[in-house]
Amino acid sequence: MDAERIDEFVMVYLKKKGFDSAAKDLQLALHHNNGSSFNSIDYPNDPELTKLIRSFSQSDDHPTQYRESYSKLRSWAYNSLDLYKHELLRVMYPVFIHCYMDLVGKGHTQEARAFFNSFRKDHEMINLRDLQKLEGVLTPSHLEEMEFARALRQSKVNIKICQYSYDLLLQYLHRTESTLMLGIINEHINFQVYSGQPISGSDDIEAVTIVGSFQEPANHINQKEIQWGLLEDSLDDRLEKGGLLSDSEKGQGESKDGDMDDSKKRSIEVGKQGSSLKKLKKDKAGSATAKVARQETSTVPLAPRVKAELALPVMSTDVEESMLEDLRNRVQLSSVAMPSVSFYTFVNTHNGLNCASISHDGSLVAGGFSDSSIKVWDMAKLGQAGSLQGENDTNDQIGGPNGRRNYTLLLGHSGPVYSATFSPPGDFVLSSSADTTIRLWSTKLNANLVCYKGHNYPVWDVQFSPFGHYFASCSHDRTARIWSMDRVQPLRIMAGHLSDVDCVQWHPNCNYIATGSSDKTVRLWDVQTGECVRIFIGHRSMVLSLAMSPDGRYMASGDEDGTIMMWDLSTARCITPLMGHNSCVWSLSYSGEGSLLASGSADCTVKLWDVTSSTKLTKAEEKNGNSNRLRSLRTFPTKSTPVHALRFSRRNLLFAAGALSKPES
């Protein structure tokens, strides 16, 4: 390579990097030398240095460089050995999106669109929603204005890869002198290299996390201390201590009366008066199953007790008596003692059912519809001959007794209803809608009591707290909010998600709420401060459903792809992925003692999972590097009914609801 060409390359490089003063000095030096180049001392005759200067001088601003370099890397990855191919292909998606955003950022709009359309099919199966968002990024200003794109540019993608795959990738990049690809990978990918053989993608749920993967901030947040235990002196607390057992165990309960305050004594006395001879016989008949289940649960350490941060409402005597009766008669479930399932099927909905909800005792069922209506069915009034009719009022009037509707119609929203939830006693219903409002209804008066306005966009979900009075909502505006029934303005606003907040769930002790989002993360928020105290990263699609274990130790989340992940709240780590559904998981519910998890999906099935064995085997299987420690107990298929809602009653009867859909011919 001659000296004049080297001078030219150095000049181009200095100008490209913005070293204008150095470029001027070089130009002046060349001019003083009458245009002649420096002598051999300034540019040693070193072929490696010459090659390096040439590579730096090449204009990577040219859009064709992105297509050529990416295409070569893609071909190399697809032609790799099968053992390492799936790990090397993980690198392609982040490289693809950053190549596209680099082209957009440099103003090459047409070339960026051509590049995007040429290679998007490689990534549509897993990352379709992300690609649909990126498709709208067309100008450099979009990269700054769109929070999704800005988050991708500012954070690094975490990719787990074995040592040998990592070495193969680096060798290829250096051998081909692909500085453009090397620069993108170095700037935007954080490799988590591990030793040993590659782990297959299906076994490793945390192989790659794209959106919301602010790993360092997440790790910092997840170091915060949280109190995940049960509330002191709650009904569940007293049940675990043995203070609320059946009359057959009365002697044990009375021996502890001296240590209890007056409220505890009163609660137990109320429960004793409500018990009957029939109940005692039932208790004796089920004593064998209960004994086995109690032996299993007794080996699990009791959850710690915490104090409530919120001022919780006082429970009426009648409601407490009813709850105590249910808790005493709870059927103990386990892997060998399956629950009974009651499924409520909506018919004639004409695809208008958006959501369903079941009261805690299964006596009331509500449906939210696209025509802005809410319909509530009373199972006691419906009787054996009734059916849950949908939007067609004519059919409903014919189906009801005496020509009347067999449901209560609640009208007030001006947009599709996306969520409905019953208060713990069942005397109120909350609903949320596309009209940005939340409405409180009385099931006794069959009337709208309050309209809560605060969100600016459709409200996807609303949930009562376990003790009533307080409720949480989440919206397209990327926030979740805490409300109380007696105030029309929210008490807290939780902001931090990068996309829609699709579902919300209360912790059993009411000190925290969890939110699932389209940004593929789940967050845990402190109700008192409004701060995010946990970020759970690992889902590969939007999170649609959440459930908390009764002791508050674990959380389950279900996503659009059908994956359920079980998390340990204290460590923010995924205990086990539950793979089995092949469509959206719309609803999750833990059994009363926490040994079983039920999941309802758009694939028209209800599945039961053995939570106890999954959590017991965690440490042993983590040492073996095997994450497939799931135990699916049973699958209940429906004829053609996607499952909208699930709930374990206090007595551990499993209720489910969904709308009958016509199978495609």
Side-chain angles (χ1 to χ4, degrees), residues 16-17 57-63 65-66 106 179-180:
K16 186 175 68 174
K17 294 299 180 183
S57 68
Q58 289 175 350
S59 177
D60 56 9
D61 287 330
H62 200 280
Q65 287 284 339
Y66 285 89
K106 293 173 181 176
T179 54
L180 180 60

Side-chain angles (χ1 to χ4, degrees), residues 9 32 69 83 100 123 375 383 427 477 486 531 538 565 604:
F9 285 145
H32 286 313
S69 299
L83 183 61
Y100 173 68
H123 314 289
K375 297 171 184 178
D427 50 351
D477 63 14
D486 56 352
E531 292 182 354
M565 301 183 75
C604 302

Side-chain angles (χ1 to χ4, degrees), residues 62 78 123 137 162 221 320 352 356 393 427 442 517-518 524 540 602 617 620:
H62 200 280
Y78 274 102
H123 314 289
V137 178
C162 77
I221 289 173
E320 189 175 83
D393 286 350
D427 50 351
S442 170
S517 171
S518 294
L524 191 72
R540 299 184 184 180
L617 296 175

Side-chain angles (χ1 to χ4, degrees), residues 48-66:
E48 288 298 322
L49 178 61
T50 303
K51 188 185 296 184
L52 183 64
I53 293 174
R54 184 190 294 125
S55 66
F56 281 142
S57 68
Q58 289 175 350
S59 177
D60 56 9
D61 287 330
H62 200 280
T64 57
Q65 287 284 339
Y66 285 89

Side-chain angles (χ1 to χ4, degrees), residues 187-246:
E187 186 176 357
H188 298 291
I189 296 179
N190 178 37
F191 287 106
Q192 298 174 347
V193 182
Y194 62 91
S195 58
Q197 292 295 315
I199 301 172
S200 69
S202 59
D203 289 339
D204 192 0
I205 200 70
E206 297 177 343
V208 57
T209 51
I210 298 291
V211 183
S213 56
F214 305 94
Q215 199 62 46
E216 290 184 9
N219 289 339
H220 177 70
I221 289 173
N222 292 341
Q223 296 300 318
K224 295 181 180 179
E225 184 179 356
I226 63 170
Q227 297 178 325
W228 51 264
L230 292 173
L231 284 182
E232 293 178 349
D233 200 32
S234 65
L235 296 181
D236 293 303
D237 182 15
R238 284 180 269 165
L239 179 70
E240 279 197 7
K241 290 177 180 177
L244 301 178
L245 299 175
S246 61

Side-chain angles (χ1 to χ4, degrees), residues 386-620:
S387 59
L388 306 189
Q389 299 286 339
E391 287 183 325
N392 193 325
D393 286 350
T394 306
N395 288 348
D396 295 340
Q397 290 170 2
I398 294 172
N402 302 322
R404 289 184 166 185
R405 285 197 296 255
N406 51 20
Y407 61 84
T408 301
L409 182 64
L410 305 177
L411 295 176
H413 283 295
S414 59
V417 178
Y418 291 126
S419 179
T421 180
F422 286 96
S423 62
D427 50 351
F428 297 107
V429 176
L430 276 171
S431 60
S432 65
S433 169
D435 63 12
T436 75
T437 67
I438 303 161
R439 289 182 180 266
L440 179 70
W441 312 82
S442 170
T443 57
K444 295 179 180 178
L445 302 175
N446 297 329
N448 183 215
L449 304 180
V450 190
C451 180
Y452 303 94
K453 297 179 180 179
H455 288 288
N456 301 318
Y457 291 94
V459 185
W460 301 130
D461 194 16
V462 62
Q463 293 292 330
F464 261 114
S465 79
F467 294 90
H469 187 66
Y470 299 101
F471 60 93
S473 63
C474 59
S475 167
H476 177 60
D477 63 14
R478 299 179 296 192
T479 67
R481 302 179 188 225
I482 304 291
W483 312 71
S484 65
M485 289 171 58
D486 56 352
R487 297 192 182 186
V488 294
Q489 295 297 326
L491 306 178
R492 294 285 184 274
I493 299 177
M494 283 74 172
H497 279 294
L498 304 178
S499 188
D500 295 36
V501 186
D502 299 300
C503 54
V504 63
Q505 188 61 253
W506 285 83
H507 192 275
N509 64 24
C510 289
N511 292 338
Y512 305 96
I513 65 165
T515 54
S517 171
S518 294
D519 67 11
K520 306 177 186 177
T521 67
V522 180
R523 291 177 181 243
L524 191 72
W525 308 83
D526 188 307
V527 169
Q528 187 64 31
T529 63
E531 292 182 354
C532 177
V533 293
R534 288 290 183 273
I535 301 178
F536 304 92
I537 299 172
H539 280 286
R540 299 184 184 180
S541 58
M542 59 194 294
V543 182
L544 300 176
S545 55
L546 294 167
M548 293 283 185
S549 65
D551 62 0
R553 189 188 307 258
Y554 304 113
M555 176 180 66
S557 56
D559 65 23
E560 188 183 32
D561 292 340
T563 301
I564 303 166
M565 301 183 75
M566 194 181 302
W567 309 90
D568 186 327
L569 294 186
S570 59
T571 62
R573 289 193 60 81
C574 176
I575 298 172
T576 175
L578 312 180
M579 317 287 285
H581 288 293
N582 52 36
S583 188
C584 311
V585 179
W586 281 339
S587 186
L588 293 166
S589 181
Y590 277 94
S591 60
E593 74 293 321
S595 62
L596 301 180
L597 175 69
S599 59
S601 170
D603 64 9
C604 302
T605 64
V606 174
K607 288 183 179 288
L608 290 177
W609 312 88
D610 186 357
V611 174
T612 308
S613 66
S614 297
T615 53
K616 279 181 180 175
L617 296 175
T618 302
K619 292 182 179 179

